[in-house]
Amino acid sequence: QVQLVESGGGLVQPGGSLRLSCAASGRTFSYYTMGWFRQAPGKEREFVAASRRIGGTYYADSVKGRFTISRDNAKNTVYLEMNSLNPEDTAVYYCAATQSLLITRNNANYWGQGTQVTVSS
């Protein structure tokens, strides 16, 4: 069992930055690939970024160069640093986990409750 809790969402102006956190329970955090997904109203949940359980990261093209995923295994926490935000980034952001090397909305075993990010002037 893994429990995930996101935090750090809020309202930010276009061009601004936010850092999201996802705190995970359990003693096997380092064995999981961790990912961030987002879902806007009326849209499908989409992949944002991932940190592989064996190391390395990968990103959706839409956020590459602007977002950075990182993890602190000692703290059982994964982060998403978001820079140069625009209104199209507005969504509920979800943290997810899987033991696979790739994480998708279909193979993720665990999900957080989500945190709202709103980018607006």
Side-chain angles (χ1 to χ4, degrees), residues 4-99:
L4 306 174
V5 180
E6 303 97 333
S7 63
L11 175 65
V12 63
Q13 294 183 348
S17 300
L18 283 175
R19 187 174 81 158
L20 307 182
S21 298
C22 174
S25 69
R27 56 202 176 276
T28 59
F29 177 77
S30 64
Y31 299 152
Y32 287 86
T33 292
M34 304 297 298
W36 287 96
F37 296 77
R38 65 187 183 185
Q39 187 167 22
K43 304 292 185 180
E44 293 185 348
R45 189 170 300 186
E46 66 175 359
F47 170 77
V48 175
S51 173
R52 298 182 189 273
R53 63 176 174 83
I54 60 171
T57 60
Y58 59 97
Y59 301 86
D61 288 342
S62 60
V63 307
K64 191 175 298 182
R66 299 189 298 124
F67 292 10
T68 302
I69 188 171
S70 61
R71 67 196 297 164
D72 186 337
N73 288 338
K75 295 182 178 180
N76 281 8
T77 302
V78 63
Y79 306 93
L80 184 68
E81 297 179 354
M82 305 183 294
N83 301 309
S84 301
L85 287 162
N86 59 65
E88 288 68 41
D89 296 314
T90 295
V92 176
Y93 283 70
Y94 297 91
C95 180
T98 183
Q99 288 192 284

